[in-house]
Amino acid sequence: MKRFVMILACALVAMAAFAEGEKRWTNNIGVGLSVPFLHLDCDAYGKVNETAFALQGSYAGFARNGLTVKATLSLGGCVTNDFPLGTDTGWKGGLFADATLGFGYAIVRSQKFILTATALVGLSVSYYTQESETVQDPELGEVDRGHSAVFLAPSIGADVTAFWRIKNHFGLFVGAQFRWIPGGESVASTFDGDDRSLRFDVESDEIGNSFSIVPTLGVMWSF
C-alpha cells in the first residue's frame, strides 16, 4: 500500500511538472488608461475632432505558437468644440464608450517581453447633451427645450501592444490602435416638453471616411 501511494504521488508530481512545461495558453487581464482621438467627417456637422479619456479593461490571450486574441472595453468621457449643440457653440463634454475584438500574432516572445500585432474590429459611441432651457414654442407654448447628439463609429484597423512581465503574475503594457472608420451615423435630437406633453425631433446623418488613434497604458495580471 505504501508503495502504491508513493508511485501515485510521484505520478501526480510528474504530471503537474509536465503540464506546467507544456502550457499552451497564457491569459492576461489588463486595466489601463486610454486616450482615443477621433476625426469624424460628418454630413451634418462637417469635420469633428474629438478627444476622449477612458478607463480600459482588456483581455489578451497568447498561444504557445504565437496566436493572439485580444478584446477591450473602454468607458469614460469626451470633449470637442467642433459642432454646435443648441445654443452651445463652445467646448462641450460628453460620455464615451468603445469596444474592440482582435486576432493576430505575438511577433516577439520571451519570458519577460511580448510584442503583439492584431487586426481588429471596433465600435465607438459618443453622446453629448445640452442642459435644457425654457423657450416659447409656437405650438406647445412655454416648454423646456434640450438637445443631444450621438456619434456611432464602427471601425477596422490594427493594434500593436508590448507587454513587460515584472513578476510572475504582474506586468505593464503599452499599446496603440490605428483604426479606419469607413462610415457611421450621427443622430441629433431636440426635445420639447412640459407637464402635459413631450415632443422629439430626430435627424440622422452619415459619417464618411474617418479615422481614430487610441494609445493605452496600463497594468496586467497573467495566469
Side-chain angles (χ1 to χ4, degrees):
M1 186 65 180
K2 290 183 179 179
R3 181 177 298 178
F4 174 76
V5 173
M6 292 180 61
I7 294 174
L8 180 60
C10 291
L12 291 175
V13 171
M15 290 174 62
F18 177 78
E20 181 66 23
E22 293 294 318
K23 187 175 183 180
R24 298 176 180 273
W25 192 264
T26 302
N27 300 289
N28 298 271
I29 303 296
V31 177
L33 176 66
S34 66
V35 187
F37 169 79
L38 291 85
H39 175 85
L40 305 176
D41 192 355
C42 305
D43 287 351
Y45 303 112
K47 299 185 185 302
V48 175
N49 293 310
E50 175 186 87
T51 302
F53 303 90
L55 183 66
Q56 183 188 93
S58 64
Y59 168 81
F62 310 130
R64 190 175 56 180
N65 62 3
L67 175 67
T68 299
V69 177
K70 186 177 180 184
T72 67
L73 176 63
S74 303
L75 299 172
C78 49
V79 294
T80 185
N81 70 339
D82 285 344
F83 70 94
L85 193 59
T87 58
D88 186 358
T89 59
W91 285 95
K92 56 190 66 67
L95 300 177
F96 178 82
D98 180 82
T100 68
L101 177 63
F103 298 91
Y105 189 73
I107 54 181
V108 177
R109 303 189 301 277
S110 69
Q111 190 68 20
K112 295 292 186 181
F113 179 79
I114 297 176
L115 179 65
T116 65
T118 61
L120 64 84
V121 293
L123 175 65
S124 298
V125 181
S126 308
Y127 172 73
Y128 296 88
T129 185
Q130 181 201 38
E131 186 175 351
S132 61
E133 56 184 349
T134 302
V135 300
Q136 192 71 29
D137 184 82
E139 298 178 0
L140 302 178
E142 187 176 277
V143 295
D144 291 329
R145 174 170 295 171
H147 303 269
S148 66
V150 178
F151 299 93
L152 304 172
S155 60
I156 58 176
D159 176 291
V160 178
T161 304
F163 300 83
W164 287 273
R165 183 174 296 178
I166 299 174
K167 295 184 178 180
N168 288 340
H169 299 288
F170 177 79
L172 303 174
F173 71 89
V174 60
Q177 295 178 355
F178 306 91
R179 296 156 64 173
W180 173 50
I181 302 169
E185 290 289 328
S186 65
V187 181
S189 62
T190 301
F191 66 88
D192 296 315
D194 55 22
D195 295 337
R196 302 178 305 277
S197 61
L198 183 65
R199 182 182 67 192
F200 277 93
D201 295 317
V202 180
E203 182 177 350
S204 176
D205 289 283
E206 292 185 355
I207 296 175
N209 186 23
S210 305
F211 68 90
S212 67
I213 301 173
V214 187
T216 305
L217 174 67
V219 297
M220 65 175 186
W221 178 57
S222 302
F223 60 98

